[in-house]
Amino acid sequence: MTTKRPFTWGAATSAFQIEGSGEIGQRGTSIWDVFCEIPGKIAGGANGLRSCNHVSHYRDDVALMKALNLQGYRFSISWPRVLPEGTGTVNQAGLDFYDRLVDELIAADIAPYVTLYHWDLPQALQMKLGGWEHPDTARHFADYSRLIFDRIGDRVSHWFTINEPWCVAYFGYFNGAFAPGVQDRRRGFQVGHQLLRAHALAVAAFRAGGYRGEIGINLNCEFMYPASDTIDDRDAAQRALIDMAGWFGDPVWFGDYPNEMRSAYGDLIPQFSDEDQKLVKQSIDFIATNYYFSDLVSAAPGENPMGYIRRSDPNRPKTAMGWPIVAEGLESLLIWLTQRYGNLPVYLTENGMAKENEIVEDGFVHDPERIDYIRTHFESARRAVEKGVDLRGYFVWSLIDNLEWAHGFAKRFGLVHCDFETQVRTIKDSGLWYADWIARGGWNAIESPQHLDSNSAGERESCMES
Ligand code: FCB
């Protein structure tokens, strides 16, 4: 049993990005394995067959987490490792791997936060059914989820169904930058819809099964600041937030897509059946979001169906991803989500900074920019807490350098450096800094910590109103 903590400081990874295919419990093929084979899709022609070989190194990796003083670890399960065909015969060795990982975490007093789907759909389902476009894939996802709840649910208290459905639909089906590489907006909205059904069916299985703990979905949203103070730009920024966060956030809380999206996209937006609507409405126990950067938004009628255009603030420094560093955007986003969906508990499930060409020198990796990035974002989140956001946990992306999807291995996000040739791991300065931050009590190390412990809903609501 893990100890209940008022706040969890952690780090995050995902299966496809760190695991490698693995000699033990070798996994089935995912849509990302196939996508990596298409020339020109992944920088440097990289793939996920080896990466950090976490399946062989998981004990070392949990020891690293312990050295970082992590209280929680968010990782994802590889569906094709557990069910190589997506459904049917279970790969016991694959399932055993996650069982052992969870045991190892519990023994280290690190709470497991489990994501059921972080983009690596079994290729078999893509071939047989057309993947997420087919309604049966949602049903198979719920069956797979039940299998995982049954096996490790006695030791896990926080679950996430689907990581960033926005990215799956947008990058996978609008612009084709991610697997499976489709460029068709109508199909993208259909996939988004099936992801919502999949989430809702898994949550229904979780709730009906009486498993312990809480469940949600990982949203992702950049905060959208109006490019000017005009009413038009301010409205445009709200529409941009609704277009991104509301696309998935509104259905899982209110039970339907935002009106603004329905009027803008018309019949591209699917309808929920009565039955699906009942399942999807209030299908989250908490808000979980990832945050990396913010943009500036101007009204631009005709530019896109929602009538806005986004750009990055040219005056901001950028990370190696080209993303502008806007720490205060995290505060704004957390407040926006809490105001829209009510005072639910909130988890920040990813936030971090990419760098390139990081090297180990005399056993150290000096990354002062990353320390600055995470420190300023911690402070930003703390301001949101002071204004009433019920933030319960913060997970830095990422525990360790890994395969950054279409960007290959060049973009390093880790608190721990990975030499992909030798598999040697080195804690970066940012990791040492984070370990110290957690040891000193996180925010409690800086002044006025009381509100973090008191957690009084009444107190928070009144803050939100002021
Ligand atoms: C998020 C993904 C995660 C990682 C970060 C940088 O969108 O969820 O896997 O790639 O971006």
Side-chain angles (χ1 to χ4, degrees):
M1 275 306 126
T2 49
T3 20
K4 198 175 171 322
R5 293 191 174 92
F7 194 90
T8 301
W9 293 102
T13 63
S14 88
F16 186 76
Q17 291 177 280
I18 67 162
E19 285 183 352
S21 66
E23 298 101 49
I24 321 156
Q26 190 126 21
R27 60 172 170 77
T29 304
S30 81
I31 55 170
W32 269 91
D33 291 302
V34 174
F35 195 63
C36 288
E37 292 303 307
I38 306 173
K41 293 292 186 191
I42 313 292
N47 62 47
L49 295 180
R50 191 151 177 267
S51 189
C52 316
N53 194 7
H54 170 72
V55 280
S56 305
H57 288 269
Y58 75 95
R59 288 207 167 88
D60 307 331
D61 292 340
V62 173
L64 284 166
M65 295 174 212
K66 195 69 197 156
L68 294 184
N69 294 325
L70 299 189
Q71 300 163 342
Y73 173 52
R74 172 177 174 243
F75 64 96
S76 79
I77 310 257
S78 159
W79 182 353
R81 188 181 301 286
V82 172
L83 290 161
E85 296 296 310
T87 171
T89 311
V90 174
N91 174 22
Q92 282 302 335
L95 195 50
D96 289 350
F97 167 70
Y98 296 107
D99 199 59
R100 285 199 305 272
L101 173 61
V102 168
D103 277 348
E104 194 77 13
L105 289 166
I106 303 286
D109 196 25
I110 298 167
Y113 283 66
V114 179
T115 312
L116 292 160
Y117 182 74
H118 201 125
W119 306 355
D120 45 358
L121 186 74
Q123 173 66 11
L125 293 180
Q126 190 71 34
M127 299 288 285
K128 271 186 247 156
L129 298 177
W132 285 116
E133 286 178 75
H134 198 292
D136 283 354
T137 300
R139 204 167 41 77
H140 294 315
F141 176 73
D143 291 344
Y144 149 71
S145 300
R146 204 177 291 109
L147 183 73
I148 305 299
F149 299 146
D150 280 339
R151 183 63 188 263
I152 58 173
D154 56 334
R155 287 152 289 158
V156 175
S157 52
H158 292 85
W159 298 92
F160 311 101
T161 52
I162 291 170
N163 180 68
E164 300 187 346
W166 186 93
C167 286
V168 177
Y170 190 93
F171 292 121
Y173 286 84
F174 280 19
N175 77 2
F178 283 4
V182 176
Q183 288 176 297
D184 183 323
R185 203 185 271 259
R186 182 175 295 277
R187 290 169 65 187
F189 280 122
Q190 175 61 23
V191 162
H193 194 70
Q194 297 305 332
L195 290 167
L196 283 163
R197 289 187 62 248
H199 156 82
L201 289 168
V203 171
F206 181 77
R207 290 179 175 165
Y211 303 97
R212 62 189 276 262
E214 301 179 331
I215 193 160
I217 187 169
N218 307 97
L219 304 176
N220 63 298
C221 193
E222 283 83 74
F223 196 73
M224 314 283 183
Y225 287 105
S228 80
D229 208 26
T230 61
I231 286 272
D232 284 353
D233 284 356
R234 279 192 272 142
D235 286 351
Q238 284 304 310
R239 286 198 302 280
L241 282 161
I242 288 167
D243 200 16
M244 195 166 188
W247 178 1
F248 295 96
D250 276 26
V252 298
W253 191 245
F254 301 128
D256 203 359
Y257 296 103
N259 289 334
E260 293 86 341
M261 289 185 76
R262 284 212 179 277
S263 355
Y265 296 107
D267 72 357
L268 290 180
I269 304 280
Q271 299 289 343
F272 286 106
S273 67
D274 289 349
E275 195 189 337
D276 286 346
Q277 186 151 48
K278 272 194 212 112
L279 289 180
V280 80
K281 188 172 180 179
Q282 299 200 350
S283 58
I284 50 171
D285 297 324
F286 50 75
I287 296 166
T289 190
N290 301 343
Y291 172 81
Y292 288 93
F293 66 98
S294 296
D295 268 345
L296 299 176
V297 177
S298 317
E303 177 69 30
N304 63 13
M306 295 282 276
Y308 68 87
I309 189 162
R310 285 170 58 170
R311 65 184 167 89
S312 0
D313 182 342
N315 301 317
R316 299 281 180 157
K318 297 202 168 50
T319 70
M321 298 294 281
W323 298 341
I325 301 177
V326 190
E328 69 274 23
L330 175 56
E331 173 189 353
S332 304
L333 177 67
L334 295 175
I335 291 174
W336 189 87
L337 289 169
T338 294
Q339 285 177 339
R340 191 165 180 91
Y341 301 119
N343 210 27
L344 288 165
V346 182
Y347 291 89
L348 200 265
T349 42
E350 282 180 32
N351 170 246
M353 177 186 181
K355 293 191 67 195
E356 273 171 344
N357 305 320
E358 288 189 299
I359 49 160
V360 183
E361 288 171 291
D362 300 329
F364 289 93
V365 179
H366 301 303
D367 58 346
E369 305 84 356
R370 186 175 286 108
I371 296 177
D372 207 47
Y373 181 99
I374 57 178
R375 184 182 52 74
T376 52
H377 284 76
F378 290 173
E379 285 165 3
S380 178
R382 178 170 172 266
R383 290 194 297 274
V385 171
E386 281 166 353
K387 291 179 183 156
V389 172
D390 187 5
L391 190 67
R392 304 279 178 96
Y394 199 123
F395 294 78
V396 174
W397 184 272
S398 177
L399 171 70
I400 185 164
D401 295 337
N402 57 53
L403 179 70
E404 181 42 40
W405 306 110
H407 296 278
F409 289 107
K411 316 283 183 203
R412 292 178 177 267
F413 271 95
L415 296 164
V416 174
H417 182 275
C418 183
D419 181 323
F420 298 107
E421 290 303 313
T422 62
Q423 292 298 331
V424 169
R425 279 99 159 113
T426 308
I427 299 180
K428 300 180 191 176
D429 286 357
S430 57
L432 299 171
W433 182 89
Y434 191 31
D436 186 53
W437 166 266
I438 299 171
R440 286 186 293 115
W443 289 309
N444 295 324
I446 42 185
E447 85 279 21
S448 103
Q450 294 90 327
H451 63 282
L452 281 173
D453 298 330
S454 65
N455 253 349
S456 139
E459 211 176 301
R460 280 157 191 275
E461 260 150 35
S462 61
C463 295
M464 289 302 289
E465 280 154 18
S466 64

